[in-house]
Amino acid sequence: MSKPKITINQDKCIGCNTCPLVDPEVFALDQSTYKAIVKQQPPDGQIPPQTQTAIDSCPVQAIVVVEEP
Ligand code: SF4
């Protein structure tokens, strides 16, 4: 079964801080680069609603979910 993995395109991220505000469990803003990072992947192989909201809230679509085998 494939497992979703959240990645952040560092070139696209503009450091707007929206995703850490919407879902602080998963996202954080790296204080040295001012780009978002993934603190932890969803534990059960699913994207929780709050995390999906954060992904959808990104103004530049920098958050990408890839399926890992
Ligand atoms: S919402 Fe998008 S642009 Fe804003 S910090 Fe998160 S990844 Fe970066």
Side-chain angles (χ1 to χ4, degrees):
M1 214 179 87
S2 63
K3 217 175 146 191
K5 183 179 178 218
I6 303 166
T7 60
I8 295 173
N9 185 326
Q10 299 290 304
D11 293 333
K12 272 191 174 180
C13 175
I14 56 171
C16 73
N17 205 34
T18 298
C19 58
L21 280 176
V22 175
D23 191 351
E25 294 284 308
V26 171
F27 301 100
L29 202 67
D30 187 310
Q31 293 302 317
S32 57
T33 62
Y34 294 103
K35 306 267 185 182
I37 53 169
V38 179
K39 278 164 66 181
Q40 60 170 18
Q41 295 292 332
D44 58 357
Q46 287 192 354
I47 304 291
Q50 195 70 13
T51 306
Q52 188 60 53
T53 302
I55 294 169
D56 294 341
S57 301
C58 178
V60 293
Q61 286 86 46
I63 310 171
V64 179
V65 179
V66 294
E67 293 290 332
E68 288 211 321

